[in-house]
Amino acid sequence: MNPGTSLSSTTPNARTIQILEEMCKYYDQMQDQWRTLAYRKGITTLRKQPVKITTKEEAAALPFIGTRLAEKIEEIVLTDRLRKLDNTRGDPADKVLRLFLSIYGVGLSQANKWIQAGYFTLDDLAAKAKLTDNQKVGIAHYDDFAARIPRAEVEAHGAFVKDYLKKIDPGFEVTIMGSYRRGAKDSGDVDLIISKPGTSMSTMRAIVFGQLVSGLFAADFLKVSLATSHRLNDGSKWHGASCLPHSNTWRRLDLLLVPEEEMGAALLYFTGNDIFNRSMRLLASKKGMRLNQRGLYKDVIRSRNRERITEGTLVESRSEKRIFEILGVPWRAPAERIC
Ligand code: DCP
Ligand code: MG
Ligand code: MN
């Protein structure tokens, strides 16, 4: 997944970490965000230990490891396995749920509805379920979207978009983001920031969502647009799939349109990872500030239950480094932004 993972074999807790990572992956597939986060934090702590952690008392004394995770660590050391993980692996209902949850854009409530309707396979869904357009694409290209994309191919998708856009307007810049910018050897999708210095959003929008996207469809590089929720999209995003010439594997592609003055905040957001972003946002809110993909804001007034009352005033959005400085966080290179 990330370059840090390969280091795990050199720690005295390598075997424990390996099994905890499998459990964490299971919770991630189940879209159980809390347990996924708890496991990731616990694994990070464990990876830093210079000695092997063998008892639940030793484990529970460490940061981010609660009693239940501590008990699991002891169980792994004593038995070389984790019953909970073995149980989930054997459960067929669970397997179906994980299959459905791994379809692009499918959440827990949709997956459970399908199970209650008696569907067990992707073929069942394709033949019998009433599907949205996104779900149809997610099922038809299930294997494509589940496959990791090698780093060189991520680069090729980025280059295709960049070359095409430069022909329309050489002033545009295209930057590959997400796990690629963190240095990952392969990625789940291709994330691109598109920007033209000194140019308004409306002008960029007209060129990118007008000429670029339609041109890339005509070139048979883009294959489909995937609908995004209006709540999450302010007209700066495009989601869909692309395919290189002479290939028939569709890849998920995300475009983010960014005005020059917001580039720092956008770089920070789109580099991730998502957990790192969450911790930066939490830190901002503890300092009375607010961080999102457009900027860092101060003087944000919140009610007693932390609900935001005012938007606050913009402090910084151009420079990624300045956002770290203002938040009092030592700079972390993209490859180190893994929690
Ligand atoms: N992001 C976020 N919160 C989300 C989704 C995304 O903060 N709920 C940010 C951080 C991510 C970046 O956007 O790193 C790109 O999102 P991806 O889902 O493409 O995730 P990655 O690129 O990090 O990993 P992958 O290789 O799986 O695509
Ligand atoms: Mg990505
Ligand atoms: Mn993405």
Side-chain angles (χ1 to χ4, degrees):
M1 285 249 287
N2 60 59
T5 314
S6 59
L7 293 173
S8 63
S9 59
T10 62
T11 99
N13 293 291
R15 175 65 181 161
T16 312
I17 290 170
Q18 184 194 355
I19 293 181
L20 291 179
E21 275 179 339
E22 284 177 48
M23 198 68 231
C24 181
K25 190 175 157 203
Y26 167 81
Y27 284 129
D28 192 28
Q29 287 172 337
M30 297 298 267
Q31 301 184 2
D32 185 336
Q33 294 188 2
W34 287 111
R35 283 198 181 82
T36 305
L37 185 61
Y39 269 74
R40 283 203 209 170
K41 285 183 166 174
I43 289 166
T44 304
T45 296
L46 212 50
R47 197 174 273 133
K48 289 182 192 151
Q49 302 311 309
V51 294
K52 183 165 181 178
I53 303 301
T54 57
T55 68
K56 56 176 186 280
E57 289 79 16
E58 284 168 5
L62 300 170
F64 301 116
I65 297 184
T67 43
R68 280 201 300 234
L69 190 54
E71 282 164 9
K72 292 197 171 59
I73 290 170
E74 187 176 87
E75 183 189 335
I76 294 168
V77 172
L78 291 176
T79 66
D80 199 39
R81 52 188 278 248
L82 191 56
R83 275 166 307 164
K84 174 110 190 143
L85 184 63
D86 295 343
N87 292 344
T88 56
R89 275 187 182 138
D91 182 351
D94 215 290
K95 243 184 162 162
V96 178
L97 183 57
R98 274 185 291 152
L99 172 70
F100 289 175
L101 286 174
S102 64
I103 300 167
Y104 174 78
V106 173
L108 259 181
S109 81
Q110 179 60 263
N112 279 315
K113 274 182 207 156
W114 285 334
I115 289 172
Q116 271 153 29
Y119 305 141
F120 292 106
T121 64
L122 297 182
D123 288 341
D124 286 345
L125 296 182
K128 300 173 212 160
K130 189 178 176 312
L131 302 169
T132 65
D133 289 343
N134 280 15
Q135 289 161 357
K136 282 179 198 161
V137 175
I139 291 166
H141 292 274
Y142 179 83
D143 291 328
D144 285 358
F145 294 168
R148 303 292 299 174
I149 314 169
R151 194 169 173 84
E153 194 186 328
V154 174
E155 273 163 25
H157 284 254
F160 199 100
V161 173
K162 187 179 191 154
D163 293 346
Y164 200 97
L165 186 53
K166 290 270 182 194
K167 275 185 236 154
I168 301 172
D169 183 338
F172 270 97
E173 285 158 15
V174 175
T175 314
I176 310 178
M177 302 297 299
S179 49
Y180 177 91
R181 188 171 185 239
R182 300 196 305 272
K185 68 177 185 2
D186 51 44
S187 295
D189 67 356
V190 180
D191 301 301
L192 303 177
I193 278 184
I194 297 180
S195 183
K196 182 182 175 187
T199 310
S200 72
M201 269 303 270
S202 60
T203 304
M204 288 197 295
R205 238 179 240 134
I207 295 171
V208 170
F209 299 135
Q211 299 181 57
L212 176 69
V213 168
S214 58
L216 289 173
F217 267 112
D220 210 24
F221 172 75
L222 291 184
K223 296 294 186 179
V224 70
S225 296
L226 294 161
T228 56
S229 84
H230 288 291
R231 190 174 57 83
L232 296 172
N233 197 347
D234 53 3
S236 64
K237 294 186 179 118
W238 183 89
H239 292 179
S242 55
C243 181
L244 290 174
H246 313 297
S247 166
N248 45 32
T249 307
W250 289 22
R251 304 299 199 180
R252 283 270 305 104
L253 179 78
D254 289 339
L255 306 180
L256 183 65
L257 210 53
V258 177
E260 182 186 17
E261 57 276 11
E262 293 175 8
M263 191 52 96
L267 285 171
L268 182 59
Y269 165 77
F270 221 25
T271 298
N273 66 9
D274 51 346
I275 309 280
F276 176 78
N277 286 355
R278 220 188 290 176
S279 66
M280 289 289 272
R281 276 187 230 125
L282 187 66
L283 184 71
S285 96
K286 281 182 182 155
K287 300 197 169 197
M289 291 188 268
R290 179 167 73 100
L291 177 67
N292 62 25
Q293 70 189 74
R294 312 193 49 189
L296 179 67
Y297 303 79
K298 68 170 180 181
D299 301 332
V300 180
I301 301 172
R302 289 175 199 272
S303 67
R304 215 162 278 158
N305 58 13
R306 303 204 63 74
E307 225 172 292
R308 201 171 63 239
I309 297 171
T310 63
E311 292 291 303
T313 46
L314 180 67
V315 184
E316 180 62 45
S317 61
R318 272 178 192 275
S319 158
E320 201 180 10
K321 285 213 161 76
R322 280 292 294 150
I323 294 175
F324 276 82
E325 279 170 25
I326 295 165
L327 286 173
V329 180
W331 169 256
R332 276 171 69 176
E336 289 155 13
R337 298 183 203 168
I338 344 172
C339 293

